[in-house]
Amino acid sequence: MAQLSTKIKEYCKANGVANVEFFKDVKLQNDNNGLGDYIKEWNLSGLAQPTDEQLASYETAANTAESNAQVDATRRQAYGSWNDQLDEIFHDIDAWKARIQGIKTNNPKS
């Protein structure tokens, strides 16, 4: 199940709001009562606070976004630093291309 914050980001993106600042635009809270996170404050003018049903409709998109974020993190770690990559390109660009393609192949996005 996707995080509430990710579903909110997907809802906002689908409604023309590219960037959501949590702690300013939207404040989430969890009362540790077993009910999970909820929207405590909605401060985005021009976009109505979504209902639970609306947010639920973004579950698939949010799961994909979270999965792709994990793939990005894995790829970044495998790529190594820019300094090392530039040195690798200088010495053998074809080997670098093959290594990067292998990382992308082994870590596909959804």
Side-chain angles (χ1 to χ4, degrees), residues 75-109:
R75 284 181 178 183
R76 277 192 303 277
Q77 185 175 13
Y79 292 156
S81 73
W82 282 105
N83 294 340
D84 291 342
Q85 287 189 61
L86 288 172
D87 190 52
E88 189 177 355
I89 290 168
F90 175 78
H91 290 290
D92 189 348
I93 193 168
D94 292 327
W96 173 80
K97 285 180 182 179
R99 185 178 73 80
I100 296 299
Q101 186 58 56
I103 292 168
K104 289 183 177 199
T105 300
N106 292 333
N107 300 283
K109 288 186 178 182

Side-chain angles (χ1 to χ4, degrees), residues 35-103:
L35 298 177
D37 296 341
Y38 64 92
I39 299 170
K40 181 176 180 173
E41 285 184 37
W42 186 265
N43 301 314
L44 280 170
S45 61
L47 182 59
Q49 180 174 328
T51 64
D52 290 340
E53 293 78 22
Q54 286 174 310
L55 288 174
S57 73
Y58 288 94
E59 183 73 30
T60 300
N63 282 331
T64 299
E66 289 178 1
S67 175
N68 286 341
Q70 182 58 49
V71 169
D72 285 342
T74 300
R75 284 181 178 183
R76 277 192 303 277
Q77 185 175 13
Y79 292 156
S81 73
W82 282 105
N83 294 340
D84 291 342
Q85 287 189 61
L86 288 172
D87 190 52
E88 189 177 355
I89 290 168
F90 175 78
H91 290 290
D92 189 348
I93 193 168
D94 292 327
W96 173 80
K97 285 180 182 179
R99 185 178 73 80
I100 296 299
Q101 186 58 56
I103 292 168

